[in-house]
Amino acid sequence: GMSRGADGSAIMDRGYDFAGVVRWMADRADIVMLFFDPDKPGTTGETLSILLHSLSGMDHKLLIVLNKADQFRKIHDFARAYGSLCWNLSKVIPRKDLPRIFTMSLPVSSQTGAESESSSQQTIGSGLADLHQTRDDVVAEVMKAPKRRIDNVITHLFDSVNLLLMHAVIVED
C-alpha cells in the first residue's frame, strides 16, 4: 500500500520499518551504493527522506551512481538529470561539496547486438567512452572495502570511546 508523507509525497508501506532497516544495514556496511536512473534522478520523497534520516552522518560511506547515462538521447537531457540529482542531494547531504557522483553506463555485453547498434546511433552513449572508465573506478572503490572496513572500525571505536567519556563525565558530576 501507499501512504502520504508530511510533504504530500507517496511513501510505500512495506510492513516494516524500512528507514530503520536501512540505518541498521548502513551502520554495518563499509560502502553504501546508491544507484539513480536517468528517468528518476533522486526525486522521490522516500529517497530524500532515507538520505536525510537513515544515512545522515554516513556520507563518507556513500558511492552515488547515476546509472545508464548512455541511454540519454541528448546531452541536454543528461545535464538536466545530473543537475536535478545534484540539486536534490544538496538538500539532504549537509556538506559544502557533494560527494562524487559516478556517471556510468550499462556494460555493452548486457545489450543484444541489434539493440546495441540502434541505441548507440540514437543516444549520446557512443560519445562518452569515459563512462566505462567510471565503471572501473566504481569497481575499484568496491574492491577497497576491506581497507574501508579498518577505517570504519577505528572510527566506530573512536566514537564509542568519546561517548563513554561523555557518560563518565556526566555520571561523575
Side-chain angles (χ1 to χ4, degrees), residues 94-110:
R95 287 175 45 167
K96 180 182 173 188
D97 297 322
L98 285 175
R100 178 178 176 190
I101 298 172
F102 294 89
T103 306
M104 297 186 347
S105 63
L106 295 172
V108 176
S109 61
S110 71

Side-chain angles (χ1 to χ4, degrees), residues 41-141:
T43 56
T44 66
E46 184 181 48
T47 302
L48 298 176
S49 176
I50 292 295
L51 278 165
L52 186 61
H53 302 292
S54 299
L55 298 175
S56 65
M58 296 191 194
D59 49 307
H60 64 285
K61 292 183 176 186
L62 296 181
L63 286 182
I64 301 170
V65 177
L66 178 58
N67 202 23
K68 303 177 187 174
D70 56 327
Q71 293 183 355
F72 288 107
R73 303 249 181 251
K74 300 176 185 170
I75 195 72
H76 179 79
D77 296 334
F78 168 76
R80 185 183 309 228
Y82 191 87
S84 176
L85 179 59
C86 289
W87 175 258
N88 288 317
L89 292 176
S90 72
K91 293 188 277 186
V92 294
I93 297 178
R95 287 175 45 167
K96 180 182 173 188
D97 297 322
L98 285 175
R100 178 178 176 190
I101 298 172
F102 294 89
T103 306
M104 297 186 347
S105 63
L106 295 172
V108 176
S109 61
S110 71
Q111 301 174 351
T112 63
E115 178 184 305
S116 178
E117 269 183 44
S118 65
S119 69
S120 68
Q121 291 173 359
Q122 295 173 353
T123 67
I124 63 170
S126 59
L128 301 174
D130 60 53
L131 296 179
H132 298 291
Q133 178 58 49
T134 303
R135 184 176 179 277
D136 293 341
D137 294 347
V138 170
V139 170
E141 288 295 323

Side-chain angles (χ1 to χ4, degrees), residues 1-16 18-19 44-47 49-50 53:
M2 300 289 270
S3 62
R4 296 277 168 201
D7 63 352
S9 62
I11 297 176
M12 184 182 295
D13 180 16
R14 293 179 171 83
Y16 62 93
F18 179 68
T44 66
E46 184 181 48
T47 302
S49 176
I50 292 295
H53 302 292

Side-chain angles (χ1 to χ4, degrees), residues 1 21 28 59 89 119 129 139 149 157 159:
V21 170
R28 288 152 180 78
D59 49 307
L89 292 176
S119 69
V139 170
R149 179 74 189 149
L157 180 62
D159 292 344

